[in-house]
Amino acid sequence: MAFNALYLGALVLGAAAHPSQYGSGKSGASGRTTINVNAAQKYQPFDGMGFSEAFQRGTQIYGAGGLSAANTSRVLDLLYSNVNGAGMTILRNGIGSSVNHPYDLMPSIEPVSPGSPNNTPTYDWEGTIKPGFGLDGGQLRLTKDAIARGVQKIYADAWSAPAFMKNNSNENYGGYLCGVTGIDCETGDWRQAYANYLVQYLKFYEQEGINIDYVGFLNEPDLNVSYASMLSDGQQAADFLTVLYPTLEASHLKTEIACCDGSGWEQNRERLAGLQAAGAEYTLGLVTAHGYSSPPGAPFATDRKVWETEWADLEGPHTLAWHENGTSGEGLTWANNIQQLFAVSNVSATLYWIGADNTTSNSALILLNNDTVHVSKRLWAFAQYSRFVKPGATRIEVASSNAALNMTAFENADKTVAVQVINNSNYTQAVTVQGLPVGKHSSVVGWLTNNEHDLSKMGVQRVAGGGIGTSIPALSMMSFVASG
Ligand SMILES: *[C@@H]1O[C@H](CO)[C@@H](O)[C@H](O)[C@H]1NC(C)=O
Ligand SMILES: *[C@@H]1O[C@H](CO)[C@@H](O)[C@H](O)[C@H]1NC(C)=O
Ligand SMILES: *[C@@H]1O[C@H](CO)[C@@H](O)[C@H](O)[C@H]1NC(C)=O
Ligand SMILES: *[C@@H]1O[C@H](CO)[C@@H](O)[C@H](O)[C@H]1NC(C)=O
Ligand SMILES: *[C@@H]1O[C@H](CO)[C@@H](O)[C@H](O)[C@H]1NC(C)=O
Ligand SMILES: *[C@@H]1O[C@H](CO)[C@@H](O)[C@H](O)[C@H]1NC(C)=O
Ligand SMILES: *[C@@H]1O[C@H](CO)[C@@H](O)[C@H](O)[C@H]1NC(C)=O
Ligand SMILES: *[C@@H]1O[C@H](CO)[C@@H](O)[C@H](O)[C@H]1NC(C)=O
Ligand SMILES: *[C@@H]1O[C@H](CO)[C@@H](O)[C@H](O)[C@H]1NC(C)=O
Ligand SMILES: CC(=O)N[C@H]1CO[C@H](CO)[C@@H](O)[C@@H]1O
């Protein structure tokens, strides 16, 4: 791509006529679009981006399906590196409920019922070993590697309580936690026992040197499915949250509670409203929701931070492409999904479902097949954000007179600014970006992803007034990173 020929140094001098750091907001002459970044207008905090390797998917990274050690390193680089990967900073682990663990079940730390909620439980951390892959079905090993590579937040989420704590006596097929509203079990009220169980899981990680930042006790509580699952409405969530909260408080752990990982935005909104009505919102550190059953839309009515903790293309045709025909697994589709999550749904974090897996669907960012590694453009869509926006950043205003432009901007803690611009049109768009940090040693770099490029570094022209001028190819995404 003849990108350098798209420099428009002379043209953008016109933009320098705007003395204000934030420009005038008007489109320039010659069809140029002026993009105005305004760091004075701040929105939600940014916590990071990530994925999960639950259900033993992590063992695929370490060779369960034939990946060589050389490619294990390559895959970890692709996921975590700030030099040749996506620079992801969040890992979501699954807290198991299975009494044994053939591929791909997640082992429980309490496989045997103590008989009654008041009896002393027997916790079993050693029993969660996956031979060759270590504790917690392989997740502990990945968690350690992820932290060593810069991951800053660990979210541990249970898909179900152990079967003996539920009214269907099964970790699968929904069922409810015994003791919440409307669920009376012959064996009694297991809420405190489940809270103790979750806290014990956190303590096992602590003894391995890892602080789990957030703990969740539900996954898609609106769905009754054939794998680990547990149903709950908002009132029932509140019935457990008000037991888990003081249990965590009484421990020395710093872990905060996340809820409710509804299968879609609206399913989660309903549960959040229910637990708020029951007076339990004070227990939450984080509101968490998925993107499947109903796509992310309007923000939730809460002042808690919101994370989109799981979403993927599970049904579209298998694709590694950036843009073919706009199907649900394409990279450009995910670039837009992520943009809307931050700009419209007010999330502080965006997680894909799986990072790397030996799947033949689009449910992972990197598709493994024995020792071959297929990197989807979805990974680079995430990288356009996660390489340059780091935990501690704040979303800031970015606007242009072209109402159709899809953009986000963030100011990092170190005051570098990263702006993401998606051009969904079939035409190259000339843009001038104003309002970037200006300083003696300031620099701006452009990063491009499209059908031809995977986060390629692009020179951009700095113009007077602190702006930059460049052109964004059709059906492409560019990030601009400016240091002050
Ligand atoms: C992935 O590998 C596991 C063994 O680790 C195997 O059981 C499973 O069938 C494989 N999945 C696919 C889709 O190849
Ligand atoms: C991976 O490929 C190697 C070499 O061809 C083969 O021996 C091995 O059985 C394959 N493993 C899997 C899980 O398909
Ligand atoms: C568990 O409780 C739900 C809700 O009351 C009920 O529909 C279901 O039948 C119960 N399951 C069993 C196995 O009793
Ligand atoms: C969940 O699905 C199973 C299997 O279809 C069914 O037997 C059970 O009654 C369902 N449970 C609830 C609470 O809907
Ligand atoms: C966005 O989320 C933050 C918390 O992260 C909250 O304070 C703010 O009110 C939310 N804004 C909207 C429009 O919901
Ligand atoms: C999209 O393009 C791909 C590759 O050409 C093709 O396999 C697929 O069928 C197309 N899908 C649709 C919905 O047009
Ligand atoms: C690693 O993956 C690449 C890309 O799929 C493949 O060409 C190579 O053979 C694999 N193995 C090693 C040891 O690099
Ligand atoms: C771009 O943003 C506008 C305004 O939020 C939205 O209506 C439109 O759907 C977005 N486009 C894409 C492709 O997401
Ligand atoms: C781009 O061109 C294709 C093929 O001609 C057309 O289907 C599509 O609607 C165009 N997209 C836009 C955003 O104009
Ligand atoms: C600046 C720019 O390229 N904007 C385009 C981005 O994509 C949307 C949707 O196709 C177009 O409407 C914009 O003109």
Side-chain angles (χ1 to χ4, degrees):
M1 178 141 307
F3 190 79
N4 288 338
L6 304 175
Y7 263 36
L8 292 152
L11 264 178
V12 294
L13 287 177
H18 302 303
S20 155
Q21 191 191 342
Y22 300 124
S24 72
K26 294 198 182 87
S27 285
S30 315
R32 298 193 68 82
T33 294
T34 299
I35 295 171
N36 290 303
V37 179
N38 178 11
Q41 175 64 58
K42 301 197 188 311
Y43 299 107
Q44 76 270 30
F46 175 90
D47 286 338
M49 296 177 77
F51 53 82
S52 181
E53 294 285 339
F55 291 94
Q56 298 185 31
R57 278 6 184 228
T59 67
Q60 294 299 325
I61 294 179
Y62 295 107
L67 199 70
S68 60
N71 274 332
T72 293
S73 296
R74 178 157 172 255
V75 166
L76 290 171
D77 282 351
L78 283 163
L79 294 168
Y80 294 124
S81 171
N82 281 316
V83 177
N84 49 20
M88 300 279 218
T89 51
I90 297 177
L91 179 64
R92 175 172 176 244
N93 285 336
I95 302 177
S97 49
S98 299
V99 296
N100 50 29
H101 47 87
Y103 198 79
D104 50 3
L105 302 184
M106 297 190 284
S108 169
I109 59 165
E110 192 182 357
V112 179
S113 170
S116 141
N118 300 321
N119 291 348
T120 304
T122 304
Y123 295 121
D124 179 11
W125 185 225
E126 296 307 319
T128 69
I129 283 186
K130 184 76 181 168
F133 302 101
L135 289 158
D136 204 18
Q139 291 185 114
L140 178 65
R141 180 174 171 183
L142 178 62
T143 304
K144 287 182 173 174
D145 277 349
I147 290 171
R149 287 169 177 266
V151 163
Q152 300 195 14
K153 297 284 182 208
I154 308 295
Y155 172 33
D157 189 22
W159 264 245
S160 173
F164 55 81
M165 299 185 186
K166 296 168 67 184
N167 84 329
N168 65 342
S169 306
N170 190 336
E171 64 163 330
N172 306 322
Y173 297 108
Y176 292 81
L177 181 64
C178 297
V180 299
T181 299
I183 308 299
D184 299 314
C185 303
E186 275 177 21
T187 52
D189 178 347
W190 288 85
R191 288 179 297 161
Q192 186 61 58
Y194 187 35
N196 295 344
Y197 173 91
L198 294 172
V199 167
Q200 184 57 48
Y201 176 92
L202 303 175
K203 287 181 176 169
F204 282 137
Y205 266 78
E206 183 191 43
Q207 94 192 12
E208 303 289 342
I210 294 164
N211 174 58
I212 304 275
D213 299 278
Y214 295 102
V215 64
F217 66 100
L218 294 170
N219 173 76
E220 304 186 348
D222 49 293
L223 295 182
N224 174 358
V225 290
S226 62
Y227 50 88
S229 44
M230 187 164 81
L231 300 171
S232 177
D233 65 18
Q235 173 65 56
Q236 291 165 327
D239 296 336
F240 179 66
L241 285 165
T242 49
V243 174
L244 178 58
Y245 185 79
T247 307
L248 263 176
E249 288 278 286
S251 77
H252 53 275
L253 297 164
K254 295 192 188 72
T255 313
E256 294 183 52
I257 303 172
C259 192
C260 306
D261 281 82
S263 71
W265 217 246
E266 300 313 316
Q267 288 73 13
N268 202 73
R269 192 189 305 279
E270 190 185 324
R271 278 155 186 81
L272 176 61
L275 74 83
Q276 284 169 331
E281 190 177 29
Y282 73 91
T283 64
L284 300 185
L286 206 60
V287 173
T288 50
H290 300 180
Y292 302 110
S293 305
S294 51
F300 294 132
T302 180
D303 60 3
R304 293 301 196 261
K305 290 198 286 191
V306 175
W307 287 13
E308 176 272 288
T309 43
E310 193 187 316
W311 198 13
D313 172 40
L314 302 178
E315 272 139 38
H318 180 230
T319 182
L320 301 175
W322 173 256
H323 178 79
E324 278 173 347
N325 40 28
T327 54
S328 49
E330 293 174 16
L332 182 58
T333 303
W334 282 89
N336 280 294
N337 287 344
I338 297 165
Q339 188 273 338
Q340 295 282 294
L341 275 160
F342 287 120
V344 178
S345 303
N346 196 32
V347 302
S348 290
T350 297
L351 280 68
Y352 203 70
W353 172 208
I354 301 284
D357 189 22
N358 65 337
T359 175
T360 52
S361 74
N362 291 328
S363 58
L365 299 171
I366 299 173
L367 308 181
L368 310 175
N369 181 4
N370 205 336
D371 196 28
T372 56
V373 178
H374 300 286
V375 183
S376 78
K377 291 279 189 174
R378 295 183 291 279
L379 180 82
W380 299 114
F382 271 77
Q384 286 281 149
Y385 300 83
S386 56
R387 179 86 80 80
F388 314 112
V389 188
K390 292 298 169 187
T394 303
R395 190 169 73 84
I396 58 176
E397 184 177 55
V398 59
S400 92
S401 56
N402 181 346
L405 263 179
N406 291 75
M407 308 174 294
T408 41
F410 297 85
E411 183 179 62
N412 282 303
D414 67 2
K415 299 295 177 194
T416 58
V417 169
V419 184
Q420 300 79 30
V421 184
I422 303 170
N423 176 11
N424 290 298
S425 77
N426 289 326
Y427 306 99
T428 294
Q429 300 285 335
V431 300
T432 301
V433 186
Q434 290 290 358
L436 298 171
V438 189
K440 215 172 172 182
H441 306 288
S442 62
S443 68
V444 187
V445 174
W447 298 87
L448 176 68
T449 297
N450 56 22
N451 278 343
E452 291 79 33
H453 290 272
D454 297 336
L455 207 69
S456 297
K457 192 172 183 176
M458 296 284 159
V460 296
Q461 188 88 340
R462 193 88 202 209
V463 299
I468 57 111
T470 193
S471 288
I472 305 177
L475 301 166
S476 299
M477 176 167 186
M478 269 192 100
S479 295
F480 302 101
V481 184
S483 57

PDB file of all heavy atoms in Angstrom, residues 173 175-176 224 231, ligand 4:
ATOM      1  N   TYR A 173     -26.905 -27.863  33.526  1.00  0.00           N
ATOM      2  CA  TYR A 173     -28.353 -27.662  33.370  1.00  0.00           C
ATOM      3  C   TYR A 173     -28.943 -26.681  34.384  1.00  0.00           C
ATOM      4  O   TYR A 173     -29.929 -26.991  35.065  1.00  0.00           O
ATOM      5  CB  TYR A 173     -29.086 -29.008  33.434  1.00  0.00           C
ATOM      6  CG  TYR A 173     -28.680 -29.921  32.297  1.00  0.00           C
ATOM      7  CD1 TYR A 173     -27.884 -31.046  32.537  1.00  0.00           C
ATOM      8  CD2 TYR A 173     -29.049 -29.631  30.990  1.00  0.00           C
ATOM      9  CE1 TYR A 173     -27.480 -31.864  31.487  1.00  0.00           C
ATOM     10  CE2 TYR A 173     -28.646 -30.447  29.932  1.00  0.00           C
ATOM     11  CZ  TYR A 173     -27.863 -31.552  30.190  1.00  0.00           C
ATOM     12  OH  TYR A 173     -27.475 -32.345  29.158  1.00  0.00           O
ATOM     13  N   GLY A 175     -30.208 -24.921  37.323  1.00  0.00           N
ATOM     14  CA  GLY A 175     -30.357 -25.200  38.750  1.00  0.00           C
ATOM     15  C   GLY A 175     -30.045 -23.938  39.534  1.00  0.00           C
ATOM     16  O   GLY A 175     -29.511 -22.957  38.987  1.00  0.00           O
ATOM     17  N   TYR A 176     -30.417 -23.952  40.806  1.00  0.00           N
ATOM     18  CA  TYR A 176     -30.270 -22.746  41.640  1.00  0.00           C
ATOM     19  C   TYR A 176     -29.468 -23.070  42.897  1.00  0.00           C
ATOM     20  O   TYR A 176     -29.466 -24.214  43.372  1.00  0.00           O
ATOM     21  CB  TYR A 176     -31.649 -22.228  42.056  1.00  0.00           C
ATOM     22  CG  TYR A 176     -32.470 -21.688  40.914  1.00  0.00           C
ATOM     23  CD1 TYR A 176     -33.183 -22.550  40.078  1.00  0.00           C
ATOM     24  CD2 TYR A 176     -32.552 -20.316  40.662  1.00  0.00           C
ATOM     25  CE1 TYR A 176     -33.959 -22.059  39.028  1.00  0.00           C
ATOM     26  CE2 TYR A 176     -33.317 -19.821  39.614  1.00  0.00           C
ATOM     27  CZ  TYR A 176     -34.014 -20.693  38.803  1.00  0.00           C
ATOM     28  OH  TYR A 176     -34.773 -20.212  37.767  1.00  0.00           O
ATOM     29  N   ASN A 224     -29.998 -21.993  30.840  1.00  0.00           N
ATOM     30  CA  ASN A 224     -29.917 -23.374  31.319  1.00  0.00           C
ATOM     31  C   ASN A 224     -29.259 -24.190  30.218  1.00  0.00           C
ATOM     32  O   ASN A 224     -29.867 -24.444  29.191  1.00  0.00           O
ATOM     33  CB  ASN A 224     -31.356 -23.858  31.593  1.00  0.00           C
ATOM     34  CG  ASN A 224     -31.430 -25.333  31.956  1.00  0.00           C
ATOM     35  OD1 ASN A 224     -30.423 -26.027  31.978  1.00  0.00           O
ATOM     36  ND2 ASN A 224     -32.650 -25.794  32.235  1.00  0.00           N
ATOM     37  N   LEU A 231     -28.585 -20.800  37.536  1.00  0.00           N
ATOM     38  CA  LEU A 231     -29.552 -19.739  37.259  1.00  0.00           C
ATOM     39  C   LEU A 231     -29.700 -18.794  38.443  1.00  0.00           C
ATOM     40  O   LEU A 231     -29.533 -19.197  39.599  1.00  0.00           O
ATOM     41  CB  LEU A 231     -30.913 -20.359  36.905  1.00  0.00           C
ATOM     42  CG  LEU A 231     -30.907 -21.277  35.673  1.00  0.00           C
ATOM     43  CD1 LEU A 231     -32.234 -22.020  35.534  1.00  0.00           C
ATOM     44  CD2 LEU A 231     -30.617 -20.474  34.412  1.00  0.00           C
TER      45      LEU A 231
HETATM   46  C1  LIG B   4     -32.830 -27.179  32.567  1.00  0.00           C
HETATM   47  O1  LIG B   4     -32.778 -28.020  31.414  1.00  0.00           O
HETATM   48  C2  LIG B   4     -32.953 -29.381  31.749  1.00  0.00           C
HETATM   49  C3  LIG B   4     -32.679 -30.202  30.492  1.00  0.00           C
HETATM   50  O2  LIG B   4     -33.426 -29.703  29.424  1.00  0.00           O
HETATM   51  C4  LIG B   4     -34.334 -29.591  32.317  1.00  0.00           C
HETATM   52  O3  LIG B   4     -34.492 -30.943  32.653  1.00  0.00           O
HETATM   53  C5  LIG B   4     -34.500 -28.729  33.550  1.00  0.00           C
HETATM   54  O4  LIG B   4     -35.796 -28.800  34.009  1.00  0.00           O
HETATM   55  C6  LIG B   4     -34.188 -27.287  33.252  1.00  0.00           C
HETATM   56  N1  LIG B   4     -34.168 -26.572  34.518  1.00  0.00           N
HETATM   57  C7  LIG B   4     -34.775 -25.418  34.698  1.00  0.00           C
HETATM   58  C8  LIG B   4     -34.710 -24.843  36.049  1.00  0.00           C
HETATM   59  O5  LIG B   4     -35.352 -24.854  33.784  1.00  0.00           O
END
